[in-house]
Amino acid sequence: MRIILLGPPGAGKGTQGERLVKKYKIPHIATGDIFRAAIKEGTELGLMAKDYMDQGLLVPDELVVGLVRERLAEEDTAQGFLLDGFPRTLAQAEALDAALAEMGTPLTAVINVDVGQDALVERLTGRRVCRGCGSTYHIKFNPPTVRSVCDKCGGELYQRSDDSVDTVRQRLEVYRRQTEPLIAYYQKQGILYTVDGSRDIDQVFAEITSYLDQLA
Ligand code: ADP
Ligand code: ADP
Ligand code: ZN
């Protein structure tokens, strides 16, 4: 199963991705997580990505594509993978298609998680992430049992610096301009499936899995 989760910031890609990779036993490849880890470690990649991320802009394609190519070449992708937050531009989508064609492993499905603008702002500004394990919560829609503490690992929850109202607006604009055209791109390939991401987390998960299960 080789899947892309497509959708605007805050659509629930990370949340659904976490659950999907558990169910289908495939690696979760989230480019945003890779960049945040690189920033934390102070690597060169992190240094190059940080300014773009802080401003709510996309990291340049050259940086992202090479990274994903390398990641897809690792052994654990033999059973498939779930890409979350990649591709985000047409150039990235074309580079991915080329890489997968070379490997002889075409995409199974592109799940487009559809959520309206107002809900996205509320989701992003209320998002909290675990410093320990990276799990995602929401202060209102998916709160931890104990305030600011991760249910899974006891780690501290924090707010991403790019989840401030102003940066969120910028990111949503960038999504509309640079990423939304991918919906038509994958529709043309006949592999796009759109789910209503405005429903609750369990309902969205059920819809995605019932679609993926009937493909298998
Ligand atoms: P993305 O990875 O697409 O940016 P996340 O999975 O991080 O999105 O979700 C953004 C925020 O919205 C998080 O705080 C998450 O807990 C919350 N969230 C995710 N899915 C839903 C949903 N179906 N209903 C309400 N809140 C949700
Ligand atoms: P969200 O789903 O909430 O937008 P991500 O964690 O996916 O957040 O991405 C955070 C930031 O990382 C993006 O705003 C962008 O700067 C950078 N980034 C992640 N993935 C990509 C990508 N495929 N191309 C360019 N930049 C990316
Ligand atoms: Zn945790």
Side-chain angles (χ1 to χ4, degrees):
M1 186 104 68
R2 291 176 292 273
I3 316 167
I4 291 177
L5 279 184
L6 189 65
K13 301 182 299 298
T15 301
Q16 296 300 329
E18 233 176 83
R19 297 175 177 216
L20 289 167
V21 298
K22 227 184 255 166
K23 175 172 163 79
Y24 296 109
K25 302 187 172 60
I26 50 178
H28 187 179
I29 305 176
T31 40
D33 289 349
I34 295 173
F35 288 131
R36 278 184 293 278
I39 290 172
K40 200 168 155 193
E41 287 164 27
T43 65
E44 200 179 327
L45 177 74
L47 281 175
M48 289 189 286
K50 187 173 187 313
D51 285 346
Y52 297 101
M53 293 175 74
D54 285 345
Q55 292 177 61
L57 301 174
L58 296 185
V59 175
D61 289 335
E62 310 82 73
L63 278 183
V64 191
V65 167
L67 184 92
V68 172
R69 265 180 169 282
E70 278 172 32
R71 182 63 189 84
L72 290 177
E74 283 176 37
E75 266 173 28
D76 64 347
T77 62
Q79 299 310 311
F81 53 77
L82 181 140
L83 283 168
D84 164 2
F86 180 94
R88 261 175 150 100
T89 64
L90 276 174
Q92 291 179 18
E94 285 164 0
L96 176 66
D97 277 345
L100 293 177
E102 224 171 83
M103 295 189 273
T105 53
L107 291 166
T108 310
V110 177
I111 307 294
N112 175 37
V113 186
D114 185 36
V115 179
Q117 173 98 0
D118 292 346
L120 293 173
V121 174
E122 192 180 10
R123 285 189 187 183
L124 288 165
T125 53
R127 172 160 62 185
R128 298 294 182 272
V129 184
C130 175
R131 271 193 213 288
C133 69
S135 290
T136 299
Y137 296 84
H138 191 281
I139 51 172
K140 188 160 136 197
F141 304 128
N142 185 24
T145 312
V146 180
R147 201 188 135 98
S148 297
V149 178
C150 178
D151 287 345
K152 286 168 201 147
C153 78
E156 181 203 0
L157 304 187
Y158 76 103
Q159 179 169 29
R160 276 170 46 177
S161 58
D162 61 344
D163 280 344
S164 63
V165 181
D166 289 344
T167 313
V168 159
R169 296 210 180 277
Q170 171 68 28
R171 286 159 60 207
L172 292 174
E173 184 53 38
V174 164
Y175 167 78
R176 214 168 316 117
R177 247 188 356 253
Q178 298 186 265
T179 310
E180 207 168 51
L182 296 186
I183 294 175
Y185 178 86
Y186 288 118
Q187 202 149 35
K188 229 178 265 168
Q189 293 191 5
I191 54 172
L192 188 85
Y193 180 72
T194 297
V195 301
D196 176 4
S198 67
R199 296 183 304 162
D200 75 37
I201 294 173
D202 290 338
Q203 285 176 317
V204 177
F205 183 69
E207 192 182 338
I208 297 174
T209 53
S210 73
Y211 175 72
L212 291 175
D213 286 344
Q214 56 89 37
L215 286 182

